[in-house]
Amino acid sequence: KKLGLSCTSVTPCYRKSVDGASSYTFHSKCDNKGPTLSLIKSSHGYTFGGYTSKSWNSGYATDNSAFLFSDRGGGSMSSVQKYSSKSGSSAIYRSSSYGPIFGSGHDLYVNRNMNGGYTYPYNYNYPYGWSNSYLAGSYSSWSVTDLHVYVLSIADGDGGRGGSYRELWRDRFGFAVQGAPQFFPPREG
């Protein structure tokens, strides 16, 4: 499925494996940078994350463009599911004491040590029967094996200036198969 972003550039902002496991480091490197894509791989082998068009800084932010996503089907684009924010209200929570947080429930929460968190359905639209273990493999008994955050330059409309999210996912991030060595880091290019 196409997730609906057209990107003109992708810039690494934070990589847990390179920059260290600290919410303070994440915020010092990513605050006030504009739209970001957060990619997480859990200890259960799940790939998931979130997009926000708002800058990370402080407090709740309304963002009608925000969404969460998950890839539970082996990496094909048909297996990637997108969950949009219900109203845009409280789409993300920004605090230097925590990693990326999406939703006020919190739908996706990463702790200050960037090594774990929890998922809880609240602010985002999920399929019928969705449980709080869907994104990461369990509600809270998962750890973050790696987390990358990228600053995205988003094209206004299609305009042919940027690649689709599908192309970005496949060509830039290179996680065609869950758990495959190419999952992190993204391919250069």
Side-chain angles (χ1 to χ4, degrees), residues 90-168:
S90 302
I92 62 169
Y93 181 67
R94 307 163 299 180
S95 169
S96 62
S97 297
Y98 307 105
I101 296 176
F102 289 82
S104 63
H106 301 290
D107 295 68
L108 173 56
Y109 164 86
V110 176
N111 66 24
R112 79 176 60 229
N113 297 320
M114 309 295 266
N115 61 5
Y118 63 83
T119 59
Y120 182 79
Y122 193 75
N123 276 78
Y124 286 78
N125 293 306
Y126 304 101
Y128 178 76
W130 188 89
S131 74
N132 54 12
S133 64
Y134 191 82
L135 286 177
S138 72
Y139 164 67
S140 64
S141 63
W142 53 275
S143 59
V144 175
T145 59
D146 212 347
L147 186 154
H148 290 194
V149 179
Y150 295 88
V151 175
L152 306 181
S153 293
I154 305 298
D156 293 329
D158 190 3
R161 295 187 296 152
S164 71
Y165 192 91
R166 177 187 301 263
E167 293 161 346
L168 171 75

Side-chain angles (χ1 to χ4, degrees), residues 1 17 21 38 43 63 78-81 86 89 111 114 116 138 144 147 157 166 171-172 187:
K1 289 183 178 181
S17 57
S38 300
S43 55
D63 185 358
S78 63
S79 68
V80 176
Q81 299 296 312
K86 288 179 182 174
S89 178
N111 66 24
M114 309 295 266
S138 72
V144 175
L147 186 154
R166 177 187 301 263
D171 298 337
R172 181 71 176 158
R187 289 187 235 151

Side-chain angles (χ1 to χ4, degrees), residues 59-89:
Y60 280 104
T62 297
D63 185 358
N64 291 319
S65 301
F67 62 81
L68 297 175
F69 61 88
S70 65
D71 176 10
R72 298 186 55 198
S76 69
M77 279 306 296
S78 63
S79 68
V80 176
Q81 299 296 312
K82 175 183 173 182
Y83 317 107
S84 59
S85 178
K86 288 179 182 174
S87 68
S89 178

